[in-house]
Amino acid sequence: MSVPLLKIGAVLSTMAMVTNWMSQTLPSLVGLNSTVSRAGSSEKITLFQSPEEGWQLYTSAQAPDGKCICTAVIPAQSTCARDGRSRELRQLMEKVQNVSQSMEVLELRTYRDLQYVRSMETLMRSLDARLRVADGSVSTKSFQELKDRMTELLPLSSVLEQYKADTRTIMRLREEVRNLSGSLATIQEEMGAYGYEDLQQRVMALEARLHACAQKLGCGKLTGVSNPITIRAMGSRFGSWMTDTMAPSTDSRVWYMDGYYKGRRVLEFRTLGDFIKGQNFIQHLLPQPWAGTGHVVYNGSLFYNKYQSNVVVKYHFRSRSVMVQRSLPGAGYNNTFPYSWGGFSDMDFMVDESGLWAVYTTNQNAGNIVVSRLDPHTLEVVRSWDTGYPKRSAGEAFMICGVLYVTNSHLAGAKVYFAYFTNTSSYEYTDVPFHNQYSHISMLDYNPRERALYTWNNGHQVLYNVTLFHVISTAGDP
């Protein structure tokens, strides 16, 4: 009877090994635990994370008919359900979970069988002991008892067969889990093929393509101005507020300048939300006071008219210093040629899709509006145009795509009344309604990055959206 006992011991040893493998190896193999600890340390490495932030992808293309096509894909704030690799990864993870559940069922059943085999081992040892005591002389009654005991052991055969089948199943499942783990590792490696710097460069390149395409689409003729959107009521009756027209989309700083003469304090708010709440701002104290409200922030610098002069000042915010200043030849100042509302608005600086502009008047032009393109680095005049429109009859003005648009009043009932096209040196009279909600506009500027008009209206900071009619030339057209 020692041979059966050795077989039972081997069965128990094998089942114990399988149980140990299932309890230790399986969880790490199939990813039941979300983290894995490195040997000899408490550091944990996450196997698969669901990103909290979505990816942004920008691209542009030229259609065969010459039209510019812009595309912006912004996934949801989680794993993008439309991404093929993410979908495949999720399906594989579901398979691994199903396999894990099957392994758990097998583990429970194997444990049950193990308990049964152990009880059989006790019975076999008892039988072996009785046979040794019998010392070869077994009566009919004792033999019948032994026969009955052996009958009780017959189910052990089917248990062992089931155990063998379970063992084969476990081996197949282990191989499947190993294959799935390899597939998951391949997908993870593919999804992480680019480092952060590489991805950053790709995103920047795609953003540049989108920006170029959007610029092409953005240039058109003004056909409409939306109803006003009041952002905040802050400050005096006159002033200006703006964002940097050249800043990236992630930079939403707002600059605020209250008053129209002798001011030096500029407030810089971190975001538009902070501006609305009046929080998270820093103060810049200009070395020279300003005149008027025609200031503009362009590529990190403030361009403004120095008080009681026709000098243009370029103040750099980061270095808190004046980079350059230059007199604008012949330009009137100190309320010589202001807009209709006065306020030392002789010189008005603007930025559109093509660069930096100055709107002013000279004696030589008999008080008519002059538009000059300025070099933003040297402040030199690149080229000038005489529009023929009297500046004192203009309420305010702004530039869009090289076209100067002029309102006929700063009061209620104003409309965009005049347009001058610098590309053709021609003009036309327009009739674009413009709702002056608070009845006194003292600042009006176009922001090409946001495609919106910024206004200061009687102590209110207001935005307007614009509607442009696009004319896209086909490839090969001049």
Side-chain angles (χ1 to χ4, degrees):
M1 297 300 295
S2 57
V3 175
L5 288 176
L6 289 176
K7 290 183 178 179
I8 292 296
V11 170
L12 294 174
S13 176
T14 304
M15 297 185 72
M17 180 182 65
V18 173
T19 304
N20 181 65
W21 174 81
M22 295 179 73
S23 62
Q24 296 182 9
T25 308
L26 181 61
S28 61
L29 181 63
V30 301
L32 290 176
N33 300 326
S34 61
T35 59
V36 176
S37 299
R38 288 183 177 175
S41 96
S42 59
E43 181 183 0
K44 292 186 176 179
I45 307 170
T46 302
L47 296 178
F48 302 101
Q49 291 181 338
S50 296
E52 294 296 330
E53 297 180 357
W55 291 0
Q56 295 187 0
L57 174 64
Y58 303 97
T59 186
S60 60
Q62 188 82 12
D65 59 356
K67 294 182 180 179
C68 187
I69 303 172
C70 295
T71 304
V73 180
I74 305 176
Q77 296 297 101
S78 61
T79 303
C80 183
R82 298 173 183 172
D83 188 277
R85 291 176 298 176
S86 298
R87 182 170 57 252
E88 183 181 356
L89 183 61
R90 186 172 59 254
Q91 291 173 351
L92 287 174
M93 289 298 294
E94 291 175 355
K95 285 186 177 180
V96 170
Q97 291 176 356
N98 292 336
V99 170
S100 301
Q101 293 174 358
S102 298
M103 298 292 272
E104 289 177 0
V105 172
L106 285 175
E107 183 178 11
L108 292 174
R109 190 163 63 186
T110 304
Y111 178 79
R112 179 199 61 195
D113 295 343
L114 179 62
Q115 297 301 316
Y116 184 75
V117 170
R118 284 176 176 171
S119 66
M120 291 301 100
E121 181 185 26
T122 303
L123 185 59
M124 292 287 287
R125 286 178 178 175
S126 175
L127 180 59
D128 183 60
R130 293 188 61 183
L131 287 174
R132 289 179 185 276
V133 172
D135 193 24
S137 59
V138 181
S139 64
T140 303
K141 181 179 179 181
S142 297
F143 179 79
Q144 186 61 39
E145 289 179 356
L146 289 175
K147 186 177 180 180
D148 294 340
R149 294 291 186 180
M150 293 300 295
T151 303
E152 293 178 7
L153 291 177
L154 287 178
L156 179 60
S157 176
S158 59
V159 170
L160 291 176
E161 290 299 324
Q162 183 63 51
Y163 163 71
K164 292 178 182 179
D166 289 347
T167 302
R168 289 192 295 269
T169 302
I170 291 175
M171 296 301 294
R172 287 197 303 271
L173 290 174
R174 182 171 60 178
E175 185 64 26
E176 184 178 351
V177 169
R178 182 182 294 111
N179 294 335
L180 288 175
S181 298
S183 300
L184 292 174
T186 301
I187 294 174
Q188 188 180 30
E189 181 178 357
E190 181 183 356
M191 294 180 71
Y194 296 99
Y196 174 78
E197 294 183 358
D198 292 335
L199 287 175
Q200 191 74 3
Q201 292 296 325
R202 288 163 61 87
V203 170
M204 290 176 63
L206 291 173
E207 277 189 331
R209 291 168 62 189
L210 176 66
H211 182 67
C213 187
Q215 278 193 330
K216 185 175 181 181
L217 285 177
C219 282
K221 182 179 179 181
L222 179 69
T223 57
V225 177
S226 73
N227 288 327
I229 304 169
T230 302
I231 302 300
R232 189 178 181 189
M234 177 183 179
S236 64
R237 192 178 187 185
F238 313 97
S240 59
W241 71 294
M242 65 216 80
T243 59
D244 192 339
T245 58
M246 285 290 289
S249 57
T250 55
D251 185 350
S252 58
R253 287 176 295 171
V254 175
W255 285 270
Y256 169 89
M257 302 168 69
D258 191 12
Y260 65 87
Y261 76 105
K262 297 177 66 174
R264 296 176 58 198
R265 190 174 73 129
V266 181
L267 300 184
E268 176 186 313
F269 293 85
R270 187 177 61 183
T271 65
L272 179 62
D274 290 330
F275 173 70
I276 294 173
K277 298 176 183 177
Q279 63 184 18
N280 295 326
F281 64 88
I282 60 176
Q283 176 177 288
H284 299 271
L285 193 62
L286 301 178
Q288 300 161 335
W290 72 69
T293 60
H295 330 299
V296 70
V297 175
Y298 180 62
N299 201 21
S301 295
L302 172 70
F303 296 82
Y304 70 96
N305 176 209
K306 179 182 176 182
Y307 179 63
Q308 290 188 331
S309 74
N310 62 2
V311 173
V312 185
V313 179
K314 177 182 179 181
Y315 175 84
H316 189 246
F317 284 115
R318 180 174 295 180
S319 63
R320 294 179 178 264
S321 62
V322 174
M323 303 297 291
V324 63
Q325 55 183 339
R326 182 182 296 273
S327 176
L328 201 57
Y333 63 93
N334 204 25
N335 266 342
T336 303
F337 298 111
Y339 288 124
S340 60
W341 63 274
F344 297 89
S345 57
D346 301 78
M347 298 170 63
D348 192 2
F349 302 102
M350 309 172 184
V351 170
D352 70 352
E353 291 79 0
S354 55
L356 178 65
W357 302 84
V359 170
Y360 56 99
T361 296
T362 67
N363 288 320
Q364 290 78 6
N365 294 94
N368 293 330
I369 292 178
V370 175
V371 181
S372 290
R373 177 79 178 273
L374 300 183
D375 185 319
H377 303 290
T378 65
L379 299 182
E380 293 180 345
V381 174
V382 177
R383 184 179 174 185
S384 295
W385 294 262
D386 183 353
T387 66
Y389 193 91
K391 192 165 186 290
R392 286 185 175 272
S393 298
E396 272 288 348
F398 55 92
M399 296 286 298
I400 299 180
C401 300
V403 180
L404 178 71
Y405 294 95
V406 181
T407 65
N408 62 349
S409 174
H410 63 283
L411 302 174
K415 61 183 178 180
V416 181
Y417 180 72
F418 179 85
Y420 186 88
F421 304 89
T422 60
N423 61 335
T424 59
S425 300
S426 61
Y427 69 89
E428 69 178 20
Y429 289 95
T430 61
D431 187 10
V432 179
F434 185 80
H435 181 39
N436 188 343
Q437 183 174 2
Y438 302 106
S439 303
H440 196 290
I441 293 176
S442 60
M443 171 257 178
L444 177 60
D445 264 332
Y446 172 71
N447 187 308
R449 184 186 74 172
E450 301 171 6
R451 312 292 164 85
L453 295 174
Y454 280 62
T455 67
W456 187 293
N457 195 337
N458 210 359
H460 297 79
Q461 292 73 50
V462 182
L463 290 177
Y464 294 85
N465 292 317
V466 297
T467 301
L468 303 179
F469 177 74
H470 308 290
V471 179
I472 306 300
S473 300
T474 57
D477 289 346

